[in-house]
Amino acid sequence: MPLNAIRLSLFALITGCVALSAQTVDTLDPVLKARIDRIAAQVLEQTSVPSASVAVVQHGKLVYTHAYGNARLATDNVSAIPATPDMRYSIGSISKQFTATAILLLQEGGKLSLDDAVGKYIPGLTRGNEVTIRQILSHTSGYQDYWPEDYVMTPMLQPESAQQIIDTWAKKPLDFEPGTQWQYSNTNFVIAGRIVETITGAPLMDLLVSRIFRPLGMKSVWNSDEAKLTSVDATAYCRNALGPLRVAPKEGRGWMFAAGELAMTAHDLALWDESLIAQSILKPESYKQMFTEIKLKDGKGTHYGLGVEVRDRNGHRSIEHSGEVSGFVSDNEVFVDDGVAVAVLTNQMAVNAASAIAGLATPVVLGAPLAAPEQQAIDVYHGLQRGRIDRTLLAPNLSDYFTPEAVADFQQSLAPLGEPLLFRQMREELRGGMTFREFQIVYPGKRLELTTYTYPDGKLEQYLIAPAE
């Protein structure tokens, strides 16, 4: 057996990948489950992406896994295979947070410091005595990205080593002065992976297995950089323009190292999300560093920590990341303070179905009460769908606007749409002695924009709906 095959077989044996345990979990409230099912099914219908696998964490615990669509499409000789929660998908750049965690584990063990220069561990890098480990983990180093494209270039079909990637892209002049810009670069995490291996004297995957995957019970994890997924996993697809779905090419071995090498079930990605919420793998100070937005030298924020995006979603702190490799796109959103996470894995390249499902599902799971303006706006919306308007809410001008003809037009155009997938306020500002608000209303394949003006006494001066640009 070739060395690579032996290494892959041992990895599968260590993590339990040979025989997966059942990955189906279903303890979510039926009403919320139905809404998530509707979101996922309709986004797949809208985008024509073959399948999605979804996992939901609520109150810090995995409560729901479900798969939608077909993991493998029908061919002339073989029937389509429905997606199931037991199937693995590549998670792409979500892998970066695992590499960042490996670095933080080494820092906790006194093996390195985030403020060490990368040249201390990897010789020959451009300005390696200036660029720090913190900068490569936060994409503020200046090292050029070796794969910004959303397709597999011809050279990527052949094997490549981490050292070859470093020699080609990390020894060029920097794209910018370290710490002065944020620019996403896979090259950064190849360097980070090699730092881990230099310090430990073992493959990066060994540390990930022993310190993360095994303790968390993540039994499905697969190193897709060593070999493509198996026949019982999701098939990778791509599409040329509006042409038919085709099986996506596999990157050559070595290209995804430390930057996008992992594949797993949504179930096991949710176990990782549980650990982020519980802060169970790293020490609190390490999570603080990982989750803190890196600032540039001029003080501007980057919305990025160490291997993760750091966002504010309507007042809720979100630690998130998306991922893409050939044939797969993923999205993982973790609301660490709320104990909520949504992981979505899909099997078509260069389509935003995963982020659309996650973005629509997370407000459902968060269950945060609507703000008073949102509640009023959606109540008026529901009334108009039934051909009714509560004129006690309206200032004289808006009451005049809503003639019987206008109310009928609202009802006839909005009623067939049914209940929106999402109804949320997007922005607010003062103008003309009133509060202007903009709301987004989302349906499968359709987005509407609602704009309102409200007087200080609460009366509505405007309530207009139009297609979103």
Side-chain angles (χ1 to χ4, degrees):
M1 182 181 291
L3 178 59
N4 292 341
I6 293 173
R7 182 182 302 158
L8 186 61
S9 298
L10 288 173
F11 177 67
L13 181 62
I14 290 170
T15 60
C17 294
V18 174
L20 295 181
S21 57
Q23 304 272 296
T24 300
V25 178
D26 188 359
T27 59
L28 184 64
D29 175 83
V31 174
L32 298 184
K33 179 172 66 175
R35 291 185 66 186
I36 291 170
D37 289 347
R38 178 171 172 248
I39 287 168
Q42 292 185 343
V43 168
L44 290 187
E45 180 181 359
Q46 173 189 343
T47 59
S48 298
V49 168
S51 74
S53 187
V54 176
V56 175
V57 173
Q58 190 180 48
H59 308 303
K61 297 297 180 183
L62 177 58
V63 294
Y64 190 51
T65 60
H66 198 74
Y68 310 83
N70 290 318
R72 190 166 308 139
L73 302 179
T75 63
D76 293 339
N77 302 319
V78 180
S79 299
I81 298 177
T84 72
D86 295 328
M87 293 177 172
R88 290 175 287 227
Y89 293 65
S90 289
I91 67 169
S93 287
I94 296 174
S95 304
K96 289 181 171 66
Q97 56 200 260
F98 294 94
T99 302
T101 300
I103 291 283
L104 289 166
L105 285 168
L106 293 178
Q107 179 174 251
E108 290 180 358
K111 303 296 185 181
L112 57 74
S113 166
L114 290 178
D115 295 316
D116 286 344
V118 292
K120 180 177 179 180
Y121 306 99
I122 309 295
L125 302 180
T126 300
R127 296 173 68 175
N129 61 332
E130 300 175 54
V131 175
T132 67
I133 295 175
R134 192 185 305 273
Q135 288 170 336
I136 63 170
L137 295 183
S138 61
H139 298 298
T140 58
S141 67
Y143 289 120
Q144 190 175 98
D145 189 4
Y146 70 85
W147 191 21
E149 297 86 353
D150 292 309
Y151 67 97
V152 179
M153 299 83 73
T154 300
M156 291 188 67
L157 298 174
Q158 302 303 316
E160 185 79 313
S161 70
Q163 190 60 52
Q164 288 171 317
I165 292 172
I166 288 171
D167 289 343
T168 304
W169 280 273
K171 296 182 179 180
K172 292 182 175 184
L174 298 182
D175 282 351
F176 51 85
E177 287 293 307
T180 65
Q181 295 184 40
W182 184 91
Q183 190 176 114
Y184 194 85
S185 174
N186 289 289
T187 308
N188 287 318
F189 278 78
V190 173
I191 297 169
R194 284 295 299 129
I195 289 174
V196 173
E197 294 188 336
T198 298
I199 291 173
T200 64
L204 167 66
M205 197 62 63
D206 287 5
L207 187 149
L208 298 182
V209 169
S210 65
R211 301 292 299 276
I212 301 174
F213 304 146
R214 188 188 295 138
L216 295 179
M218 298 171 63
K219 297 181 178 180
S220 72
V221 178
W222 181 265
N223 184 355
S224 61
D225 196 39
E226 292 283 350
K228 68 179 182 180
L229 289 169
T230 72
S231 60
V232 298
D233 297 313
T235 298
Y237 288 100
C238 61
R239 190 193 298 273
N240 301 313
L242 303 181
L245 285 164
R246 302 185 184 279
V247 175
K250 176 72 177 73
E251 308 94 343
R253 180 179 173 272
W255 282 98
M256 295 298 98
F257 167 75
E261 77 278 26
L262 300 178
M264 62 187 70
T265 61
H267 172 285
D268 282 4
L269 184 53
L271 295 182
W272 165 251
D273 294 341
E274 284 186 3
S275 79
L276 294 180
I277 294 167
Q279 299 195 4
S280 61
I281 295 295
L282 297 168
K283 295 177 181 178
E285 178 58 28
S286 293
Y287 282 111
K288 181 179 179 181
Q289 293 188 68
M290 187 178 191
F291 297 165
T292 297
E293 179 187 36
I294 297 295
K295 299 295 181 67
L296 301 176
K297 289 184 176 180
D298 63 3
K300 292 181 180 178
T302 61
H303 298 297
Y304 207 88
L306 305 178
V308 294
E309 292 184 61
V310 181
R311 298 283 180 178
D312 181 284
R313 301 297 186 188
N314 295 321
H316 298 265
R317 184 169 59 130
S318 178
I319 304 302
E320 57 192 64
H321 215 286
S322 59
E324 180 183 29
V325 294
S326 183
F328 294 97
V329 176
S330 57
D331 196 75
N332 192 44
E333 302 190 6
V334 187
F335 293 79
V336 290
D337 303 323
D338 300 278
V340 164
V342 176
V344 184
L345 312 179
T346 63
N347 63 332
Q348 184 185 337
M349 193 174 186
V351 183
N352 69 350
S355 60
I357 294 170
L360 293 171
T362 47
V364 172
V365 183
L366 281 168
L370 296 177
E374 289 177 319
Q375 188 63 60
Q376 181 191 61
I378 197 168
D379 287 345
V380 172
Y381 186 86
H382 286 150
L384 288 167
Q385 286 184 307
R386 297 189 295 270
R388 304 171 188 166
I389 184 73
D390 181 355
R391 294 187 182 274
T392 65
L393 301 174
L394 312 183
N397 288 332
L398 188 58
S399 185
D400 290 344
Y401 168 83
F402 274 114
T403 62
E405 179 182 70
V407 172
D409 286 348
F410 270 75
Q411 179 186 20
Q412 292 168 10
S413 60
L414 299 180
L417 298 179
E419 187 66 17
L421 295 175
L422 184 69
F423 194 115
R424 66 181 176 188
Q425 182 175 319
M426 301 302 292
R427 65 187 180 99
E428 176 180 309
E429 61 188 45
L430 297 178
R431 183 177 176 186
M434 298 175 286
T435 301
F436 171 81
R437 294 184 176 92
E438 178 184 322
F439 302 84
Q440 183 183 63
I441 307 170
V442 180
Y443 287 96
K446 184 185 294 292
R447 291 178 183 264
L448 307 178
E449 178 185 85
L450 162 65
T451 56
T452 67
Y453 278 103
T454 307
Y455 284 108
D457 65 1
K459 296 284 187 178
L460 287 167
E461 175 70 6
Q462 176 169 301
Y463 192 98
L464 300 180
I465 292 174
E469 294 182 359

